[in-house]
Amino acid sequence: MAVLTEGVSDAWVITRRNLRKIVRVPDVLVFTTLSPIMFVLLFAYVFGNAIGTQDTGVNYREFLIAGVFAQTVVFGATFTGYSLAEDLQKGIIDRFRSLPMSSSSVVVGRTVSDIGINLVSLFVMSLTGLVVGWRIRSSVLEAAGGYLVLVAFAFAISWIMAAVALTVRTPEVVNNASFIVIFPLTFIANTFVSISSLPGPLATFANWNPVSSVTQAAREMFGNTDPRAPAPDVWSLQHPVLYTLLWVVIILAVFVPLSIRLYRRAASR
């Protein structure tokens, strides 16, 4: 019990250190929030009239926002990998190793602190969405549930990024490797277009892509779906919250112990 308490305390210290770093270097937060604002405005005003969503039964701007939310929190998780790789490169991890602290607290503190970045991004995007015409049409509790699902999914993805960073160990490679995987993952989904508009193999992939399910879960919980529209014909999108949470549990079960093991190996070098 004492070991667990110490580990939680150490992780909280690292979390505070990471949050203070963001306050002292606000450029990170500024550019993190500018990207989603750009996507909202670009798709709402430039591509909105060209992208059809007749089969969804809702205005494109209401269809769009949950997709931008999902894309942003997934891309935001790459900040975990970049920051860990940067700490490794600059020797910060060597300093942590010399301190009497839990070896898992560095990775835990990094992933927990990045929840704060995602919350700020979601807040800024929500305000931008309200400006372009998006509205939450469900209850407060349902809307809060939508945000929680997004944050939980982002937290899980951040552990994948942590494992990538502790494997490749350089910030530039982390960014490139993450982009190669995340970019198609967030676009071959229902984030910006209806899955029915995708060709066969891509539609099948999109139907079971967890990015599609977290987007669908957010849309439903924000009340941005048409109750008169036909229900999705795949289990993953009929039960998007459950499917997303299953992915969260699987990712955490695999990548939390893997990342901690990789960190111990990296710190022992």
Side-chain angles (χ1 to χ4, degrees), residues 22 28-38 40 65 68-77 79 113-129 134 147 150-151 154:
I22 294 170
V28 173
L29 199 56
V30 170
F31 285 103
T32 301
T33 54
L34 279 179
S35 177
I37 291 174
M38 180 191 69
V40 171
I65 298 301
V68 177
F69 283 2
Q71 184 199 52
T72 300
V73 297
V74 172
F75 270 103
F79 187 70
S113 64
D114 290 340
I115 292 176
I117 295 178
N118 277 315
L119 288 173
V120 172
S121 295
L122 287 171
F123 177 73
V124 172
M125 282 188 296
S126 297
L127 294 180
T128 309
W134 171 70
Y147 285 113
L150 287 162
V151 171

Side-chain angles (χ1 to χ4, degrees), residues 44-186:
Y45 290 113
V46 178
F47 300 128
N49 293 329
I51 300 176
T53 55
Q54 293 85 354
D55 58 335
T56 66
V58 296
N59 179 279
Y60 181 68
R61 292 178 186 177
E62 296 209 346
F63 177 86
L64 166 71
I65 298 301
V68 177
F69 283 2
Q71 184 199 52
T72 300
V73 297
V74 172
F75 270 103
T78 62
F79 187 70
T80 299
Y82 181 90
S83 300
L84 268 177
E86 187 179 45
D87 285 346
L88 281 166
Q89 195 175 61
K90 291 183 176 180
I92 304 297
I93 299 301
D94 293 331
R95 296 181 189 177
F96 289 151
R97 185 179 57 179
S98 67
L99 299 173
M101 59 189 297
S102 168
S103 58
S104 63
S105 61
V106 175
V107 189
V108 174
R110 178 74 266 171
T111 55
V112 171
S113 64
D114 290 340
I115 292 176
I117 295 178
N118 277 315
L119 288 173
V120 172
S121 295
L122 287 171
F123 177 73
V124 172
M125 282 188 296
S126 297
L127 294 180
T128 309
L130 292 173
V131 170
V132 302
W134 171 70
R135 296 292 182 270
I136 294 177
R137 304 189 183 280
S138 60
S139 68
V140 173
L141 286 178
E142 287 175 315
Y147 285 113
L148 285 174
V149 170
L150 287 162
V151 171
F153 188 71
F155 180 67
I157 298 297
S158 69
W159 280 96
I160 298 178
M161 295 299 105
V164 171
L166 294 166
T167 302
V168 301
R169 299 170 62 85
T170 57
E172 296 79 12
V173 177
V174 170
N175 272 350
N176 291 335
S178 303
F179 185 82
I180 290 171
V181 175
I182 289 178
F183 192 80
L185 196 66
T186 54

